[in-house]
Amino acid sequence: MALAVWRGLDVAQSLANGDEHELLAYPLTVIFPAVLIAILLVMPPTESREGLLMRVGTIVQLLLIVALPAFALYLALGLPVVFLVVELFETRLPHALRDRLARLVVQ
């Protein structure tokens, strides 16, 4: 919510300067990711640790899209990297290290 307000203030400032590009980009760079985050948060619980990690990774990625508008396209195109990292985390990391790191995220 704070990121959306911060971006809203940025839109107001750019409109005061006569630039409407920030206003036109606001729905896709703030509202749409916020709706996706809300949907991810109200979804039923996942049945696996991998599903939870993917959900958390996607939420972090969407928050970065809102927070860093200059890099939003690169972050959106890099969303599959979240899934790759989770897959590598679950399949290639040693069990002892994976379990310690997972306890930080999954309680």
Side-chain angles (χ1 to χ4, degrees), residues 6-100:
W6 173 68
R7 291 288 307 276
L9 294 173
D10 191 36
V11 167
Q13 183 181 15
S14 67
L15 283 174
N17 293 333
D19 182 23
E20 73 259 354
H21 295 312
E22 293 290 328
L23 178 64
L24 296 174
Y26 192 80
L28 286 175
T29 60
V30 177
I31 296 172
F32 187 62
V35 169
L36 292 176
I37 290 170
I39 290 170
L40 287 169
L41 289 174
V42 299
M43 286 177 67
T46 63
E47 295 183 15
S48 68
R49 182 173 62 188
E50 184 178 21
L52 178 62
L53 290 172
M54 290 175 119
R55 193 177 294 178
V56 169
T58 304
I59 289 172
V60 169
Q61 190 86 356
L62 289 168
L63 287 172
L64 286 172
I65 288 172
V66 174
L68 304 169
F71 300 105
L73 178 62
Y74 306 114
L75 290 167
L77 292 174
L79 196 57
V81 173
V82 171
F83 301 109
L84 176 64
V85 168
V86 169
E87 186 64 31
L88 291 174
F89 177 82
E90 286 292 327
T91 60
R92 303 285 186 222
L93 216 58
H95 291 292
L97 180 60
R98 185 183 72 202
D99 292 340
R100 274 189 261 142

